[in-house]
Amino acid sequence: MNIHTKKKDHTISRHIYGHFAEHLGRCVYEGIWVGEDSSIPNTRGIRNDVVEALRKLHIPNLRWPGGCFADEYHWKDGIGPLEDRPTIVNTNWGKVTENNHFGTHEFMDLCEQLDTEPYICGNVGSGTVQEMQEWVEYLTFDGESPMTNLRKKNGRDKPWKLKYFGIGNENWGCGGKMRVEHYADKYRNYQTYVKDLSGNEIYKIACGPQEADYHWMEVMMREGMDRIEPVKDAIIENIWDYHRPEMNGISLHYYTRNRANYTSATEFDEALWFDYMDRTMKIEEIIENHTAIMDKYDPEKSVGLIIDEWGTWFKVEPGTNPGFLYQQNTLRDALIAGINLNIFNNHCDRVHMANIAQVVNVLQAMILTDGEKMILTPSYHVFEMYKVHHDATLLPTNVSSRYYTYEDKHLPMINVSASQNQSGQINISICNIHPSVSDDIIIDLEGLTSEAQVEGRVLTADQINDHNTFDAPNNIQPIEFNDFKIEPNKLMVTIPSKSVLVLQIN
Ligand code: AHR
């Protein structure tokens, strides 16, 4: 394996390590929000243990309120005194009652407690242009206006800063079942009223395709942005910002799942291990194909590919509500997280943000809760180990990997990304997907001397389906790794089977 230490063209945005919290199952309610009167320690209703754990991940942004929930969410239901907020039905997720106790102020408070950037997804499917415009005004306007007055009445004097705003979610599906030709016009319409106010600058994210829907990408790149040359009009120029692209990012959703046959998150054999590694790796080809379309219309790569939903999707845990998408998280999820993040890092010229689904108690969660108890999942540990890549410079890698063969199918056994941070530290994250074979890797690293300081941590387990439980919360956690040798310009590493390894070289 060769790491190019001289080729430093792109930065791995920390926003690739973003998260997602939807009003779905026990993500927001119980996972994050317990209310001020709860016996679970909380700050203004938000549970302290979850905030403390997430702060250790340095999470860069948090997407909210959905997901499918976003396109049936009317934000004015979630402001004002709790007792006055209407109770609605969460039609997408179990048709349960939503009391709107967690709304705009609570979400912005959560982001402040987490020290993370809010990424709000607006309602195109069942909401109005006016509603979206007013939400942005409520959040960001400093001057005198009806929305400012409403915000002040609800206890917040100064506006918040809000950068990331999504114009709808999955508008080809739960967000309105639109054809892309229709959505492209809707997008142009809605985004016009998502304005920069009081010095706040919004990064607008269009609803993009699901998986390999290349037609959706083609039409959005062709029609979604205003490609007309700005009119040179000195007066108008000062009033309307003609020079900003009207679409800063476009989303892509790709879950590692088998929609014809959802299987257990914890009970699986090698066939399913292999199958899920294979499904995970497919995202690379999909990113490359979408990128090729985007490159045609945007060769400067100014529009970000925003993978704002990704991760594993299994059968729910036995005995839980099928609409709550609560699943356990094993070593297999850790490998899947590591592979995805390596792929996103390696495509950071186009992938500007990603959000794993979801942060607590839903799908490939970082954290699982049971009443007052909380555990960290193997996926959490991968995010914690990989934070060395945040805002570091990508170092391209050439990998000639051995193959992991299962029956008559083959996958590259090793998956890698590398970066260098501002103080010169080189970070290498390596996944070995083979369930039983370790690998001796020679890393060519120009400039490496025998004085170099190398530190490593590895995440692995005895069994492919090992996981943390409320009774054994530390079954899987990273441990120190020393199985390497340093030679001039070379690092020799023996990576254990089924493991995620992160090396830091100073
Ligand atoms: O993350 C769960 C759901 O998956 C989201 O609500 C939706 O956008 C996607 O289909």
Side-chain angles (χ1 to χ4, degrees), residues 203 217-218 220-222 225-227 245-250 290-305 349-352:
Y203 181 102
M217 181 60 85
E218 183 85 43
M220 282 307 294
M221 289 303 292
R222 196 179 59 223
M225 288 183 289
D226 201 348
R227 309 219 63 81
E246 294 192 65
M247 184 169 81
N248 305 99
I250 180 161
H290 283 302
T291 298
I293 298 168
M294 295 176 81
D295 286 351
K296 267 198 310 182
Y297 298 95
D298 173 38
E300 314 80 32
K301 295 190 190 284
S302 55
V303 179
L305 184 60
D349 57 335
R350 188 57 90 174
V351 178
H352 295 178

PDB file of all heavy atoms in Angstrom, residues 203 217-218 220-222 225-227 245-250 290-305 349-352:
ATOM      1  N   TYR A 203     -26.564  27.602   3.492  1.00  0.00           N
ATOM      2  CA  TYR A 203     -26.088  26.618   2.531  1.00  0.00           C
ATOM      3  C   TYR A 203     -27.300  25.745   2.215  1.00  0.00           C
ATOM      4  O   TYR A 203     -27.783  25.000   3.071  1.00  0.00           O
ATOM      5  CB  TYR A 203     -24.960  25.826   3.192  1.00  0.00           C
ATOM      6  CG  TYR A 203     -24.290  24.764   2.363  1.00  0.00           C
ATOM      7  CD1 TYR A 203     -23.052  24.997   1.788  1.00  0.00           C
ATOM      8  CD2 TYR A 203     -24.864  23.499   2.215  1.00  0.00           C
ATOM      9  CE1 TYR A 203     -22.406  23.994   1.054  1.00  0.00           C
ATOM     10  CE2 TYR A 203     -24.220  22.507   1.488  1.00  0.00           C
ATOM     11  CZ  TYR A 203     -22.994  22.762   0.911  1.00  0.00           C
ATOM     12  OH  TYR A 203     -22.359  21.767   0.202  1.00  0.00           O
ATOM     13  N   MET A 217     -30.464  12.805 -10.415  1.00  0.00           N
ATOM     14  CA  MET A 217     -29.280  13.679 -10.300  1.00  0.00           C
ATOM     15  C   MET A 217     -29.118  14.539 -11.556  1.00  0.00           C
ATOM     16  O   MET A 217     -28.848  15.744 -11.484  1.00  0.00           O
ATOM     17  CB  MET A 217     -28.028  12.831 -10.053  1.00  0.00           C
ATOM     18  CG  MET A 217     -26.753  13.644  -9.905  1.00  0.00           C
ATOM     19  SD  MET A 217     -26.818  14.817  -8.524  1.00  0.00           S
ATOM     20  CE  MET A 217     -26.320  13.767  -7.155  1.00  0.00           C
ATOM     21  N   GLU A 218     -29.284  13.908 -12.702  1.00  0.00           N
ATOM     22  CA  GLU A 218     -29.113  14.624 -13.980  1.00  0.00           C
ATOM     23  C   GLU A 218     -30.073  15.823 -14.049  1.00  0.00           C
ATOM     24  O   GLU A 218     -29.668  16.950 -14.347  1.00  0.00           O
ATOM     25  CB  GLU A 218     -29.401  13.635 -15.128  1.00  0.00           C
ATOM     26  CG  GLU A 218     -29.210  14.197 -16.514  1.00  0.00           C
ATOM     27  CD  GLU A 218     -27.755  14.116 -16.986  1.00  0.00           C
ATOM     28  OE1 GLU A 218     -27.117  13.076 -16.771  1.00  0.00           O
ATOM     29  OE2 GLU A 218     -27.290  15.112 -17.568  1.00  0.00           O
ATOM     30  N   MET A 220     -31.757  17.346 -11.636  1.00  0.00           N
ATOM     31  CA  MET A 220     -31.511  18.378 -10.607  1.00  0.00           C
ATOM     32  C   MET A 220     -30.290  19.221 -10.946  1.00  0.00           C
ATOM     33  O   MET A 220     -30.298  20.443 -10.751  1.00  0.00           O
ATOM     34  CB  MET A 220     -31.345  17.727  -9.226  1.00  0.00           C
ATOM     35  CG  MET A 220     -32.651  17.309  -8.586  1.00  0.00           C
ATOM     36  SD  MET A 220     -33.867  18.648  -8.507  1.00  0.00           S
ATOM     37  CE  MET A 220     -33.090  19.782  -7.372  1.00  0.00           C
ATOM     38  N   MET A 221     -29.252  18.591 -11.442  1.00  0.00           N
ATOM     39  CA  MET A 221     -28.055  19.377 -11.787  1.00  0.00           C
ATOM     40  C   MET A 221     -28.332  20.286 -12.981  1.00  0.00           C
ATOM     41  O   MET A 221     -27.789  21.386 -13.084  1.00  0.00           O
ATOM     42  CB  MET A 221     -26.860  18.462 -12.076  1.00  0.00           C
ATOM     43  CG  MET A 221     -26.289  17.779 -10.852  1.00  0.00           C
ATOM     44  SD  MET A 221     -25.767  18.901  -9.531  1.00  0.00           S
ATOM     45  CE  MET A 221     -24.359  19.724 -10.265  1.00  0.00           C
ATOM     46  N   ARG A 222     -29.179  19.821 -13.880  1.00  0.00           N
ATOM     47  CA  ARG A 222     -29.482  20.615 -15.075  1.00  0.00           C
ATOM     48  C   ARG A 222     -30.491  21.729 -14.767  1.00  0.00           C
ATOM     49  O   ARG A 222     -30.356  22.852 -15.223  1.00  0.00           O
ATOM     50  CB  ARG A 222     -30.043  19.683 -16.156  1.00  0.00           C
ATOM     51  CG  ARG A 222     -30.042  20.281 -17.555  1.00  0.00           C
ATOM     52  CD  ARG A 222     -30.586  19.298 -18.570  1.00  0.00           C
ATOM     53  NE  ARG A 222     -31.943  18.890 -18.267  1.00  0.00           N
ATOM     54  CZ  ARG A 222     -32.389  17.629 -18.343  1.00  0.00           C
ATOM     55  NH1 ARG A 222     -31.593  16.646 -18.709  1.00  0.00           N
ATOM     56  NH2 ARG A 222     -33.641  17.334 -18.060  1.00  0.00           N
ATOM     57  N   MET A 225     -30.465  24.452 -10.524  1.00  0.00           N
ATOM     58  CA  MET A 225     -29.694  25.676 -10.274  1.00  0.00           C
ATOM     59  C   MET A 225     -29.949  26.665 -11.382  1.00  0.00           C
ATOM     60  O   MET A 225     -30.212  26.276 -12.515  1.00  0.00           O
ATOM     61  CB  MET A 225     -28.203  25.366 -10.300  1.00  0.00           C
ATOM     62  CG  MET A 225     -27.726  24.602  -9.146  1.00  0.00           C
ATOM     63  SD  MET A 225     -25.952  24.387  -9.267  1.00  0.00           S
ATOM     64  CE  MET A 225     -25.793  23.249 -10.595  1.00  0.00           C
ATOM     65  N   ASP A 226     -29.784  27.927 -11.051  1.00  0.00           N
ATOM     66  CA  ASP A 226     -29.895  28.943 -12.074  1.00  0.00           C
ATOM     67  C   ASP A 226     -28.552  29.031 -12.783  1.00  0.00           C
ATOM     68  O   ASP A 226     -27.553  29.418 -12.200  1.00  0.00           O
ATOM     69  CB  ASP A 226     -30.232  30.279 -11.421  1.00  0.00           C
ATOM     70  CG  ASP A 226     -30.850  31.194 -12.426  1.00  0.00           C
ATOM     71  OD1 ASP A 226     -30.787  30.866 -13.623  1.00  0.00           O
ATOM     72  OD2 ASP A 226     -31.388  32.216 -12.011  1.00  0.00           O
ATOM     73  N   ARG A 227     -28.532  28.614 -14.032  1.00  0.00           N
ATOM     74  CA  ARG A 227     -27.254  28.601 -14.730  1.00  0.00           C
ATOM     75  C   ARG A 227     -27.095  29.815 -15.637  1.00  0.00           C
ATOM     76  O   ARG A 227     -26.149  29.926 -16.406  1.00  0.00           O
ATOM     77  CB  ARG A 227     -27.106  27.316 -15.550  1.00  0.00           C
ATOM     78  CG  ARG A 227     -27.381  26.060 -14.742  1.00  0.00           C
ATOM     79  CD  ARG A 227     -26.448  24.956 -15.090  1.00  0.00           C
ATOM     80  NE  ARG A 227     -25.074  25.293 -14.772  1.00  0.00           N
ATOM     81  CZ  ARG A 227     -24.541  25.203 -13.561  1.00  0.00           C
ATOM     82  NH1 ARG A 227     -25.240  24.791 -12.555  1.00  0.00           N
ATOM     83  NH2 ARG A 227     -23.288  25.529 -13.364  1.00  0.00           N
ATOM     84  N   PRO A 245     -24.457  30.465  -5.970  1.00  0.00           N
ATOM     85  CA  PRO A 245     -25.189  29.377  -6.623  1.00  0.00           C
ATOM     86  C   PRO A 245     -26.479  29.145  -5.839  1.00  0.00           C
ATOM     87  O   PRO A 245     -26.531  29.383  -4.639  1.00  0.00           O
ATOM     88  CB  PRO A 245     -24.254  28.187  -6.501  1.00  0.00           C
ATOM     89  CG  PRO A 245     -23.317  28.524  -5.416  1.00  0.00           C
ATOM     90  CD  PRO A 245     -23.225  30.014  -5.353  1.00  0.00           C
ATOM     91  N   GLU A 246     -27.498  28.713  -6.521  1.00  0.00           N
ATOM     92  CA  GLU A 246     -28.767  28.551  -5.813  1.00  0.00           C
ATOM     93  C   GLU A 246     -28.936  27.162  -5.225  1.00  0.00           C
ATOM     94  O   GLU A 246     -29.925  26.878  -4.603  1.00  0.00           O
ATOM     95  CB  GLU A 246     -29.908  28.908  -6.751  1.00  0.00           C
ATOM     96  CG  GLU A 246     -29.848  30.389  -7.089  1.00  0.00           C
ATOM     97  CD  GLU A 246     -31.099  30.866  -7.772  1.00  0.00           C
ATOM     98  OE1 GLU A 246     -32.162  30.849  -7.144  1.00  0.00           O
ATOM     99  OE2 GLU A 246     -30.999  31.232  -8.945  1.00  0.00           O
ATOM    100  N   MET A 247     -27.968  26.315  -5.501  1.00  0.00           N
ATOM    101  CA  MET A 247     -28.002  24.985  -4.885  1.00  0.00           C
ATOM    102  C   MET A 247     -26.580  24.721  -4.405  1.00  0.00           C
ATOM    103  O   MET A 247     -25.685  24.509  -5.206  1.00  0.00           O
ATOM    104  CB  MET A 247     -28.446  23.956  -5.926  1.00  0.00           C
ATOM    105  CG  MET A 247     -28.606  22.572  -5.379  1.00  0.00           C
ATOM    106  SD  MET A 247     -29.449  21.477  -6.567  1.00  0.00           S
ATOM    107  CE  MET A 247     -28.091  21.055  -7.618  1.00  0.00           C
ATOM    108  N   ASN A 248     -26.373  24.745  -3.098  1.00  0.00           N
ATOM    109  CA  ASN A 248     -25.016  24.536  -2.581  1.00  0.00           C
ATOM    110  C   ASN A 248     -24.689  23.058  -2.450  1.00  0.00           C
ATOM    111  O   ASN A 248     -23.531  22.666  -2.555  1.00  0.00           O
ATOM    112  CB  ASN A 248     -24.850  25.201  -1.214  1.00  0.00           C
ATOM    113  CG  ASN A 248     -25.208  26.665  -1.254  1.00  0.00           C
ATOM    114  OD1 ASN A 248     -26.308  27.057  -0.887  1.00  0.00           O
ATOM    115  ND2 ASN A 248     -24.298  27.476  -1.762  1.00  0.00           N
ATOM    116  N   GLY A 249     -25.725  22.276  -2.179  1.00  0.00           N
ATOM    117  CA  GLY A 249     -25.491  20.848  -2.006  1.00  0.00           C
ATOM    118  C   GLY A 249     -26.697  20.066  -2.486  1.00  0.00           C
ATOM    119  O   GLY A 249     -27.800  20.611  -2.595  1.00  0.00           O
ATOM    120  N   ILE A 250     -26.473  18.812  -2.799  1.00  0.00           N
ATOM    121  CA  ILE A 250     -27.582  17.931  -3.173  1.00  0.00           C
ATOM    122  C   ILE A 250     -27.391  16.611  -2.442  1.00  0.00           C
ATOM    123  O   ILE A 250     -26.268  16.092  -2.372  1.00  0.00           O
ATOM    124  CB  ILE A 250     -27.690  17.760  -4.711  1.00  0.00           C
ATOM    125  CG1 ILE A 250     -28.853  16.832  -5.053  1.00  0.00           C
ATOM    126  CG2 ILE A 250     -26.387  17.279  -5.354  1.00  0.00           C
ATOM    127  CD1 ILE A 250     -29.332  16.943  -6.489  1.00  0.00           C
ATOM    128  N   HIS A 290     -22.599   9.346  -9.610  1.00  0.00           N
ATOM    129  CA  HIS A 290     -23.262  10.644  -9.375  1.00  0.00           C
ATOM    130  C   HIS A 290     -22.263  11.790  -9.588  1.00  0.00           C
ATOM    131  O   HIS A 290     -22.606  12.829 -10.149  1.00  0.00           O
ATOM    132  CB  HIS A 290     -23.851  10.718  -7.964  1.00  0.00           C
ATOM    133  CG  HIS A 290     -25.142   9.953  -7.827  1.00  0.00           C
ATOM    134  ND1 HIS A 290     -26.254  10.216  -8.597  1.00  0.00           N
ATOM    135  CD2 HIS A 290     -25.507   8.930  -7.005  1.00  0.00           C
ATOM    136  CE1 HIS A 290     -27.245   9.404  -8.261  1.00  0.00           C
ATOM    137  NE2 HIS A 290     -26.806   8.597  -7.302  1.00  0.00           N
ATOM    138  N   THR A 291     -21.043  11.559  -9.151  1.00  0.00           N
ATOM    139  CA  THR A 291     -20.017  12.599  -9.300  1.00  0.00           C
ATOM    140  C   THR A 291     -19.778  12.906 -10.778  1.00  0.00           C
ATOM    141  O   THR A 291     -19.621  14.070 -11.161  1.00  0.00           O
ATOM    142  CB  THR A 291     -18.707  12.150  -8.613  1.00  0.00           C
ATOM    143  OG1 THR A 291     -18.989  11.990  -7.228  1.00  0.00           O
ATOM    144  CG2 THR A 291     -17.589  13.163  -8.781  1.00  0.00           C
ATOM    145  N   ALA A 292     -19.782  11.858 -11.600  1.00  0.00           N
ATOM    146  CA  ALA A 292     -19.546  12.089 -13.033  1.00  0.00           C
ATOM    147  C   ALA A 292     -20.650  12.976 -13.610  1.00  0.00           C
ATOM    148  O   ALA A 292     -20.383  13.876 -14.423  1.00  0.00           O
ATOM    149  CB  ALA A 292     -19.490  10.748 -13.761  1.00  0.00           C
ATOM    150  N   ILE A 293     -21.886  12.765 -13.173  1.00  0.00           N
ATOM    151  CA  ILE A 293     -22.985  13.627 -13.657  1.00  0.00           C
ATOM    152  C   ILE A 293     -22.791  15.050 -13.131  1.00  0.00           C
ATOM    153  O   ILE A 293     -22.913  16.031 -13.872  1.00  0.00           O
ATOM    154  CB  ILE A 293     -24.350  13.060 -13.194  1.00  0.00           C
ATOM    155  CG1 ILE A 293     -24.571  11.674 -13.793  1.00  0.00           C
ATOM    156  CG2 ILE A 293     -25.492  14.012 -13.569  1.00  0.00           C
ATOM    157  CD1 ILE A 293     -25.727  10.902 -13.185  1.00  0.00           C
ATOM    158  N   MET A 294     -22.476  15.155 -11.860  1.00  0.00           N
ATOM    159  CA  MET A 294     -22.293  16.497 -11.268  1.00  0.00           C
ATOM    160  C   MET A 294     -21.151  17.238 -11.952  1.00  0.00           C
ATOM    161  O   MET A 294     -21.231  18.446 -12.200  1.00  0.00           O
ATOM    162  CB  MET A 294     -22.045  16.375  -9.758  1.00  0.00           C
ATOM    163  CG  MET A 294     -23.240  15.821  -9.007  1.00  0.00           C
ATOM    164  SD  MET A 294     -22.919  15.556  -7.254  1.00  0.00           S
ATOM    165  CE  MET A 294     -23.129  17.209  -6.608  1.00  0.00           C
ATOM    166  N   ASP A 295     -20.098  16.501 -12.285  1.00  0.00           N
ATOM    167  CA  ASP A 295     -18.925  17.129 -12.926  1.00  0.00           C
ATOM    168  C   ASP A 295     -19.285  17.778 -14.261  1.00  0.00           C
ATOM    169  O   ASP A 295     -18.690  18.775 -14.656  1.00  0.00           O
ATOM    170  CB  ASP A 295     -17.812  16.103 -13.148  1.00  0.00           C
ATOM    171  CG  ASP A 295     -17.100  15.731 -11.862  1.00  0.00           C
ATOM    172  OD1 ASP A 295     -17.353  16.395 -10.837  1.00  0.00           O
ATOM    173  OD2 ASP A 295     -16.309  14.768 -11.876  1.00  0.00           O
ATOM    174  N   LYS A 296     -20.258  17.175 -14.961  1.00  0.00           N
ATOM    175  CA  LYS A 296     -20.655  17.723 -16.268  1.00  0.00           C
ATOM    176  C   LYS A 296     -21.204  19.142 -16.117  1.00  0.00           C
ATOM    177  O   LYS A 296     -20.976  20.010 -16.940  1.00  0.00           O
ATOM    178  CB  LYS A 296     -21.797  16.862 -16.851  1.00  0.00           C
ATOM    179  CG  LYS A 296     -21.334  15.759 -17.742  1.00  0.00           C
ATOM    180  CD  LYS A 296     -22.447  15.212 -18.631  1.00  0.00           C
ATOM    181  CE  LYS A 296     -23.725  14.843 -17.913  1.00  0.00           C
ATOM    182  NZ  LYS A 296     -24.787  14.279 -18.709  1.00  0.00           N
ATOM    183  N   TYR A 297     -21.979  19.355 -15.044  1.00  0.00           N
ATOM    184  CA  TYR A 297     -22.636  20.654 -14.861  1.00  0.00           C
ATOM    185  C   TYR A 297     -21.855  21.569 -13.931  1.00  0.00           C
ATOM    186  O   TYR A 297     -22.077  22.778 -13.916  1.00  0.00           O
ATOM    187  CB  TYR A 297     -24.042  20.440 -14.281  1.00  0.00           C
ATOM    188  CG  TYR A 297     -24.928  19.650 -15.212  1.00  0.00           C
ATOM    189  CD1 TYR A 297     -25.062  18.280 -15.084  1.00  0.00           C
ATOM    190  CD2 TYR A 297     -25.604  20.285 -16.248  1.00  0.00           C
ATOM    191  CE1 TYR A 297     -25.863  17.544 -15.948  1.00  0.00           C
ATOM    192  CE2 TYR A 297     -26.406  19.566 -17.126  1.00  0.00           C
ATOM    193  CZ  TYR A 297     -26.531  18.197 -16.965  1.00  0.00           C
ATOM    194  OH  TYR A 297     -27.315  17.483 -17.832  1.00  0.00           O
ATOM    195  N   ASP A 298     -20.983  20.985 -13.145  1.00  0.00           N
ATOM    196  CA  ASP A 298     -20.291  21.750 -12.102  1.00  0.00           C
ATOM    197  C   ASP A 298     -18.848  21.259 -12.013  1.00  0.00           C
ATOM    198  O   ASP A 298     -18.444  20.652 -11.020  1.00  0.00           O
ATOM    199  CB  ASP A 298     -21.040  21.541 -10.765  1.00  0.00           C
ATOM    200  CG  ASP A 298     -20.321  22.155  -9.584  1.00  0.00           C
ATOM    201  OD1 ASP A 298     -19.750  23.248  -9.740  1.00  0.00           O
ATOM    202  OD2 ASP A 298     -20.319  21.534  -8.500  1.00  0.00           O
ATOM    203  N   PRO A 299     -18.050  21.533 -13.070  1.00  0.00           N
ATOM    204  CA  PRO A 299     -16.682  21.006 -13.062  1.00  0.00           C
ATOM    205  C   PRO A 299     -15.826  21.570 -11.933  1.00  0.00           C
ATOM    206  O   PRO A 299     -14.856  20.944 -11.528  1.00  0.00           O
ATOM    207  CB  PRO A 299     -16.137  21.425 -14.442  1.00  0.00           C
ATOM    208  CG  PRO A 299     -17.110  22.384 -15.016  1.00  0.00           C
ATOM    209  CD  PRO A 299     -18.412  22.235 -14.298  1.00  0.00           C
ATOM    210  N   GLU A 300     -16.222  22.728 -11.396  1.00  0.00           N
ATOM    211  CA  GLU A 300     -15.421  23.317 -10.292  1.00  0.00           C
ATOM    212  C   GLU A 300     -15.715  22.617  -8.967  1.00  0.00           C
ATOM    213  O   GLU A 300     -15.108  22.919  -7.944  1.00  0.00           O
ATOM    214  CB  GLU A 300     -15.727  24.806 -10.093  1.00  0.00           C
ATOM    215  CG  GLU A 300     -15.776  25.669 -11.327  1.00  0.00           C
ATOM    216  CD  GLU A 300     -17.103  25.559 -12.077  1.00  0.00           C
ATOM    217  OE1 GLU A 300     -18.154  25.343 -11.425  1.00  0.00           O
ATOM    218  OE2 GLU A 300     -17.077  25.664 -13.317  1.00  0.00           O
ATOM    219  N   LYS A 301     -16.671  21.724  -8.973  1.00  0.00           N
ATOM    220  CA  LYS A 301     -17.066  20.962  -7.779  1.00  0.00           C
ATOM    221  C   LYS A 301     -17.506  21.876  -6.643  1.00  0.00           C
ATOM    222  O   LYS A 301     -17.155  21.679  -5.473  1.00  0.00           O
ATOM    223  CB  LYS A 301     -15.941  20.037  -7.318  1.00  0.00           C
ATOM    224  CG  LYS A 301     -15.604  18.937  -8.326  1.00  0.00           C
ATOM    225  CD  LYS A 301     -14.664  17.929  -7.720  1.00  0.00           C
ATOM    226  CE  LYS A 301     -14.113  16.954  -8.739  1.00  0.00           C
ATOM    227  NZ  LYS A 301     -15.031  15.922  -9.157  1.00  0.00           N
ATOM    228  N   SER A 302     -18.275  22.903  -7.010  1.00  0.00           N
ATOM    229  CA  SER A 302     -18.734  23.777  -5.935  1.00  0.00           C
ATOM    230  C   SER A 302     -19.989  23.231  -5.255  1.00  0.00           C
ATOM    231  O   SER A 302     -20.268  23.566  -4.106  1.00  0.00           O
ATOM    232  CB  SER A 302     -18.978  25.193  -6.456  1.00  0.00           C
ATOM    233  OG  SER A 302     -19.864  25.138  -7.529  1.00  0.00           O
ATOM    234  N   VAL A 303     -20.748  22.391  -5.927  1.00  0.00           N
ATOM    235  CA  VAL A 303     -21.949  21.807  -5.305  1.00  0.00           C
ATOM    236  C   VAL A 303     -21.524  20.535  -4.551  1.00  0.00           C
ATOM    237  O   VAL A 303     -20.901  19.650  -5.120  1.00  0.00           O
ATOM    238  CB  VAL A 303     -23.008  21.451  -6.371  1.00  0.00           C
ATOM    239  CG1 VAL A 303     -24.240  20.824  -5.725  1.00  0.00           C
ATOM    240  CG2 VAL A 303     -23.395  22.687  -7.180  1.00  0.00           C
ATOM    241  N   GLY A 304     -21.881  20.483  -3.288  1.00  0.00           N
ATOM    242  CA  GLY A 304     -21.479  19.320  -2.483  1.00  0.00           C
ATOM    243  C   GLY A 304     -22.438  18.155  -2.646  1.00  0.00           C
ATOM    244  O   GLY A 304     -23.651  18.344  -2.760  1.00  0.00           O
ATOM    245  N   LEU A 305     -21.889  16.953  -2.668  1.00  0.00           N
ATOM    246  CA  LEU A 305     -22.721  15.751  -2.572  1.00  0.00           C
ATOM    247  C   LEU A 305     -22.868  15.491  -1.071  1.00  0.00           C
ATOM    248  O   LEU A 305     -21.873  15.284  -0.357  1.00  0.00           O
ATOM    249  CB  LEU A 305     -22.046  14.574  -3.282  1.00  0.00           C
ATOM    250  CG  LEU A 305     -22.850  13.275  -3.347  1.00  0.00           C
ATOM    251  CD1 LEU A 305     -24.178  13.459  -4.086  1.00  0.00           C
ATOM    252  CD2 LEU A 305     -22.044  12.170  -4.034  1.00  0.00           C
ATOM    253  N   ASP A 349     -13.443  15.437  -2.371  1.00  0.00           N
ATOM    254  CA  ASP A 349     -13.529  16.557  -3.318  1.00  0.00           C
ATOM    255  C   ASP A 349     -14.982  16.840  -3.665  1.00  0.00           C
ATOM    256  O   ASP A 349     -15.358  17.972  -3.937  1.00  0.00           O
ATOM    257  CB  ASP A 349     -12.704  16.282  -4.591  1.00  0.00           C
ATOM    258  CG  ASP A 349     -13.124  15.010  -5.297  1.00  0.00           C
ATOM    259  OD1 ASP A 349     -13.675  14.102  -4.643  1.00  0.00           O
ATOM    260  OD2 ASP A 349     -12.917  14.930  -6.524  1.00  0.00           O
ATOM    261  N   ARG A 350     -15.834  15.824  -3.630  1.00  0.00           N
ATOM    262  CA  ARG A 350     -17.251  16.021  -3.948  1.00  0.00           C
ATOM    263  C   ARG A 350     -18.148  15.790  -2.725  1.00  0.00           C
ATOM    264  O   ARG A 350     -19.165  16.438  -2.568  1.00  0.00           O
ATOM    265  CB  ARG A 350     -17.640  15.075  -5.093  1.00  0.00           C
ATOM    266  CG  ARG A 350     -18.993  15.271  -5.652  1.00  0.00           C
ATOM    267  CD  ARG A 350     -19.286  16.666  -6.171  1.00  0.00           C
ATOM    268  NE  ARG A 350     -18.967  16.875  -7.562  1.00  0.00           N
ATOM    269  CZ  ARG A 350     -19.259  18.009  -8.225  1.00  0.00           C
ATOM    270  NH1 ARG A 350     -19.877  19.018  -7.611  1.00  0.00           N
ATOM    271  NH2 ARG A 350     -18.903  18.154  -9.486  1.00  0.00           N
ATOM    272  N   VAL A 351     -17.771  14.849  -1.869  1.00  0.00           N
ATOM    273  CA  VAL A 351     -18.596  14.563  -0.689  1.00  0.00           C
ATOM    274  C   VAL A 351     -18.229  15.583   0.394  1.00  0.00           C
ATOM    275  O   VAL A 351     -17.182  15.497   1.025  1.00  0.00           O
ATOM    276  CB  VAL A 351     -18.385  13.114  -0.180  1.00  0.00           C
ATOM    277  CG1 VAL A 351     -19.223  12.859   1.072  1.00  0.00           C
ATOM    278  CG2 VAL A 351     -18.746  12.104  -1.270  1.00  0.00           C
ATOM    279  N   HIS A 352     -19.118  16.545   0.574  1.00  0.00           N
ATOM    280  CA  HIS A 352     -18.815  17.636   1.505  1.00  0.00           C
ATOM    281  C   HIS A 352     -19.453  17.424   2.875  1.00  0.00           C
ATOM    282  O   HIS A 352     -19.112  18.105   3.834  1.00  0.00           O
ATOM    283  CB  HIS A 352     -19.289  18.976   0.933  1.00  0.00           C
ATOM    284  CG  HIS A 352     -18.556  19.376  -0.311  1.00  0.00           C
ATOM    285  ND1 HIS A 352     -18.846  20.506  -1.018  1.00  0.00           N
ATOM    286  CD2 HIS A 352     -17.531  18.794  -0.980  1.00  0.00           C
ATOM    287  CE1 HIS A 352     -18.042  20.613  -2.070  1.00  0.00           C
ATOM    288  NE2 HIS A 352     -17.238  19.570  -2.069  1.00  0.00           N
TER     289      HIS A 352
END
